[in-house]
Amino acid sequence: MACLNNQKSSDSSKSSNKERPFPEKPWKYSYSSSFSIDYKNNCFRKDGKPFQFISGSIHYSRIPREYWKDRLLKMYMTGLNAIQVYVPWNFHETYFLNLANQTGLLVILRPGPYICAEWEMGGLPAWLLQKPNIILRSADTAASDWFGVLLTKMRPWLYQNGGNIISVQVENEYGSYFACDYNYMRHLHTLFRLFLGEDVILFTTDGNTDKEMICGTLEGLYATIDFGTDTNITAAFIRQRRFEPKGPLVNSEFYTGWLDHWGDKHASVDTVKVSKMLGEMLSMGASVNMYMFEGGTNFGYWNGADHDTRFRSVVTSYDYNAPLSEAGDPTDKLLAIRDVIKNFRDIPVGPMPPATPKFAYGFVTLQKVWTLLDTLSPQGPVQSQYPLTFEEIKQYYGFMLYRTTLPRNVPEPTPLISPLNGIHDRAYVSVNGVYQGLMERDTALVMNVTGQQGDQLDILVENMGRVHFGSYINDNKGLLGNLILGNDVLTDWSIYPLDIDTAVANGWLQAAHSGSGMEAGDGPMIYSGTLKPTGLAWDTFVKLNGWTKGQVWVNGVNLGRYWPQRGPQQTLYVPRPFLSATQPNNITVLELERAPSHRRILFMDRPQLNMSHDTS
């Protein structure tokens, strides 16, 4: 039995929550503050009193900075008393903690070094792969230097030091990883204690199986568990009890929704099941973190990928069917969750902040301005007899062009082969600038080409996001092995790292180029247009009906990948901060395969994340 079954009657924050809406000034904690585990009474204690956290996950790296306060306020007004935050090693920001502090929310910090999160390489920086045969998430990558910087900055934010961080996770679901390296976990434990001190609660989170709990837990780190609505609550917490006989029951990731891969049906988790199960766990005295409370967006190239039987890239939207939508709008699921929380603690008075306003700006017609392979390659390619990976070239994200010549005449269709599945992840093939087709990891490793000896062979390779989970996270990108044309191994490569984002941000690819009237063709092309100012800069969603696959930039900001033909996602979220109400908004589209003849894109006032709902 936990030391509290109904926090509404025992939480010391009751009166202040009822009297005080969103605080206007930072909520400062006393330096005599304490947060600890009461093993005798099976609960947390905050400033000496029993405490049950009701938390939600939010990823600041997936939300525009200008909207952080809005999202936190909505979480606070739902009745949450804490948030759970990842710190991606490859993309991080500490200002977010101060906003959470101002909102009155406690923080459960998850600094990794590996975070999963359906984020590129699980948050690990791609430069780690420069070390041959590195074993990630082992003593090879203990991240001592990184933690020496990050955790030193976090120490003043610990609750007992006057901040709002009540606990810190060490690694993330390590029991699901093949290495099961206890020395690695011990080393991390030592690092966390060195930089954060002895008083902060350090914990682990693992899936609801014995194997995961065995490999993911370590003496000195409080073991918590995660599970969703398809799980028996009693059985799950009995499993946690086998590894933590005493202390609070904790579900560190209670799944309110799920992620999407390209080609999947849009994930959905039933609201009734979520609210019912949340109420049952809170009635048991368990502390619960809802994953996700808002998912956000995988802008740019930050999406991760899974690899089970094959490589499956995560879509741009991380809506996650969460209580707050991708655009931060309250949903029926949020209102149902708030009604549950009301039974356990007094929630702040006042209305729930509304959805951000949306606007349907309508159609924008684009012009073809660049043939990518002919005009974008920078000066000074890297010369190599055999292909080099993205990591070897130190081009970690986006695109890279591999160029060579045909070694002999191939008048008849001749197979171009990646014999060792070395296309990571998609390759767009042209001969003398004429698009021939594509090769794709795991699914399309052979295609036919024709041409004459000496013809230019271009292979544009797209990194679709590194694997974020499981045993395949050593996910090098580019051409990982030789390509064979018939019986000939292709050699003598010129390799061009393509910094398309810088070119777009600097306005080099706008429609003033003399190629603006060129006829449409297949293969990688740059298109450009302008969304005229309307006096409004509101959230919107861009739909590329009839387009095939590529990237979109608005005013130089990379919105992420589109792939409507594979779906389920049909629109890309365009937040208000990316738009201008008074100046022309520059739109750039990199279409990798085939653009429609109409060359239009549509700005809508609502998202379409499930292909089955797409009727236009």
Side-chain angles (χ1 to χ4, degrees):
M1 180 69 67
C3 59
L4 72 163
N5 285 328
N6 189 333
Q7 193 169 344
K8 190 169 183 177
S9 63
S10 59
D11 186 351
S12 62
S13 65
K14 174 181 176 180
S15 60
S16 60
N17 276 337
K18 202 164 187 175
E19 296 168 0
R20 173 181 44 79
F22 176 65
E24 296 179 356
K25 296 181 180 180
W27 189 5
K28 296 296 184 183
Y29 301 97
S30 166
Y31 277 90
S32 61
S33 300
S34 64
F35 194 85
S36 61
I37 294 175
D38 181 343
Y39 288 96
K40 180 179 179 181
N41 294 295
N42 297 328
C43 65
F44 292 111
R45 287 196 176 271
K46 176 173 168 281
D47 301 328
K49 297 181 179 180
F51 181 77
Q52 178 184 35
F53 68 70
I54 308 174
S55 171
S57 287
I58 180 171
H59 297 163
Y60 60 81
S61 54
R62 287 181 160 122
I63 300 169
R65 184 187 183 106
E66 294 86 346
Y67 277 157
W68 288 352
K69 186 173 182 179
D70 171 79
R71 307 311 195 247
L72 291 170
L73 176 55
K74 288 169 179 171
M75 297 173 79
Y76 177 81
M77 295 303 291
T78 303
L80 305 186
N81 55 17
I83 58 172
Q84 194 182 84
V85 181
Y86 277 131
V87 182
W89 187 356
N90 53 16
F91 180 121
H92 73 95
E93 173 63 70
T94 56
Y95 170 70
F96 186 83
L97 291 176
N98 188 51
L99 276 181
N101 194 35
Q102 292 179 36
T103 313
L105 289 163
L106 300 167
V107 171
I108 300 162
L109 190 71
R110 310 177 82 178
Y114 163 85
I115 64 169
C116 185
E118 290 75 60
W119 187 257
E120 220 277 340
M121 203 168 152
L124 298 175
W127 54 258
L128 290 171
L129 297 175
Q130 293 174 15
K131 180 178 179 181
N133 303 315
I134 189 171
I135 301 177
L136 299 173
R137 304 179 71 187
S138 74
D140 272 0
T141 51
S144 301
D145 292 341
W146 157 244
F147 279 138
V149 175
L150 175 70
L151 297 182
T152 299
K153 293 179 181 293
M154 294 300 101
R155 186 163 182 161
W157 286 95
L158 298 179
Y159 186 77
Q160 58 267 34
N161 294 336
N164 56 342
I165 297 175
I166 56 173
S167 61
V168 179
Q169 180 178 319
V170 177
E171 240 274 352
N172 182 69
E173 295 182 323
Y174 190 64
S176 64
Y177 192 55
F178 72 91
C180 201
D181 184 347
Y182 292 115
N183 286 332
Y184 165 64
M185 291 295 289
R186 290 187 188 101
H187 181 68
L188 289 179
H189 184 198
T190 300
L191 281 178
F192 276 65
R193 286 293 178 216
L194 174 66
F195 293 115
L196 296 181
E198 296 297 323
D199 295 333
V200 65
I201 295 172
L202 300 180
F203 71 98
T204 58
T205 299
D206 284 286
N208 181 29
T209 69
D210 287 345
K211 178 182 181 300
E212 290 172 270
M213 295 293 286
I214 288 169
C215 282
T217 57
L218 187 74
E219 185 177 356
L221 306 176
Y222 192 78
T224 73
I225 199 164
D226 55 37
F227 55 89
T229 57
D230 59 349
T231 300
N232 180 285
I233 299 173
T234 301
F237 282 137
I238 287 174
R239 177 168 280 112
Q240 185 197 358
R241 275 283 171 253
R242 292 210 297 270
F243 293 85
E244 284 292 353
K246 296 290 184 179
L249 299 174
V250 180
N251 185 344
S252 288
E253 289 188 9
F254 172 50
Y255 300 112
T256 62
W258 202 249
L259 64 140
D260 290 344
H261 303 95
W262 293 112
D264 286 355
K265 182 180 178 181
H266 180 52
S268 178
V269 174
D270 183 70
T271 293
V272 173
K273 290 182 179 179
V274 169
S275 57
K276 179 176 182 293
M277 197 166 189
L278 175 64
E280 290 172 357
M281 288 187 289
L282 296 179
S283 294
M284 298 170 67
S287 287
V288 180
N289 173 72
M290 287 167 273
Y291 189 103
M292 294 292 299
F293 206 85
E294 182 190 357
T297 308
N298 295 311
F299 295 112
Y301 309 112
W302 288 113
N303 66 276
D306 280 296
H307 196 300
D308 35 42
T309 58
R310 60 181 177 84
F311 177 83
R312 298 190 299 148
S313 182
V314 173
V315 305
T316 300
S317 171
Y318 199 65
D319 176 83
Y320 214 83
N321 192 227
L324 285 171
S325 74
E326 177 182 13
D329 298 340
T331 66
D332 290 343
K333 186 173 287 184
L334 179 143
L335 299 178
I337 287 170
R338 184 175 64 171
D339 286 342
V340 171
I341 295 174
K342 285 178 182 177
N343 297 321
F344 298 92
R345 67 186 306 261
D346 289 310
I347 65 173
V349 295
M352 174 63 61
T356 54
K358 312 293 189 299
F359 193 74
Y361 292 94
F363 286 103
V364 172
T365 300
L366 307 182
Q367 294 178 310
K368 176 183 170 187
V369 292
W370 293 97
T371 302
L372 181 65
L373 302 185
D374 289 339
T375 58
L376 195 59
S377 300
Q379 297 297 317
V382 175
Q383 304 291 342
S384 178
Q385 183 177 6
Y386 300 108
L388 300 173
T389 66
F390 277 49
E391 295 76 23
E392 289 171 317
I393 299 289
K394 299 184 179 180
Q395 165 85 6
Y396 299 117
Y397 309 107
F399 302 86
M400 197 147 70
L401 173 63
Y402 295 79
R403 176 171 287 171
T404 188
T405 57
L406 298 183
R408 58 182 173 84
N409 293 338
V410 282
E412 299 297 326
T414 302
L416 178 66
I417 306 169
S418 173
L420 298 177
N421 196 15
I423 302 289
H424 285 199
D425 299 300
R426 283 170 67 88
Y428 306 89
V429 181
S430 301
V431 176
N432 283 349
V434 178
Y435 183 60
Q436 304 290 305
L438 64 88
M439 305 173 75
E440 184 172 1
R441 180 176 181 175
D442 295 331
T443 60
L445 304 179
V446 181
M447 63 169 289
N448 289 327
V449 299
T450 59
Q452 303 298 312
Q453 182 177 359
D455 283 354
Q456 180 175 286
L457 175 66
D458 284 327
I459 314 287
L460 179 71
V461 178
E462 177 186 12
N463 170 358
M464 282 289 293
R466 289 180 179 82
V467 172
H468 61 257
F469 179 80
S471 57
Y472 292 95
I473 59 173
N474 284 54
D475 191 14
N476 293 86
K477 298 300 184 181
L479 297 183
L480 274 59
N482 290 323
L483 294 185
I484 298 175
L485 180 63
N487 295 319
D488 297 309
V489 175
L490 297 177
T491 59
D492 300 322
W493 293 92
S494 298
I495 306 172
Y496 297 84
L498 300 183
D499 190 358
I500 302 174
D501 290 79
T502 296
V504 172
N506 289 337
W508 298 341
L509 304 179
Q510 296 307 307
H513 183 255
S514 60
S516 59
M518 298 189 324
E519 293 298 320
D522 293 344
M525 306 280 181
I526 295 285
Y527 295 82
S528 179
T530 301
L531 174 63
K532 296 179 180 179
T534 62
L536 291 175
W538 286 3
D539 285 3
T540 188
F541 302 88
V542 60
K543 181 176 182 180
L544 292 99
N545 191 42
W547 298 73
T548 307
K549 186 182 189 301
Q551 301 275 148
V552 182
W553 291 260
V554 172
N555 292 328
V557 179
N558 191 331
L559 298 182
R561 311 175 198 274
Y562 68 88
W563 202 353
Q565 288 196 350
R566 187 161 292 190
Q569 181 176 356
Q570 300 295 310
T571 57
L572 295 177
Y573 175 47
V574 187
R576 171 191 57 77
F578 295 178
L579 294 171
S580 172
T582 58
Q583 298 295 319
N585 294 281
N586 294 320
I587 313 299
T588 305
V589 172
L590 167 59
E591 170 57 53
L592 293 165
E593 297 181 45
R594 175 176 294 178
S597 58
H598 60 70
R599 302 191 195 174
R600 292 194 308 268
I601 62 176
L602 175 63
F603 288 89
M604 306 168 55
D605 60 2
R606 64 191 185 280
Q608 290 183 347
L609 300 179
N610 192 333
M611 182 177 285
S612 65
H613 297 161
D614 180 18
T615 58
S616 62

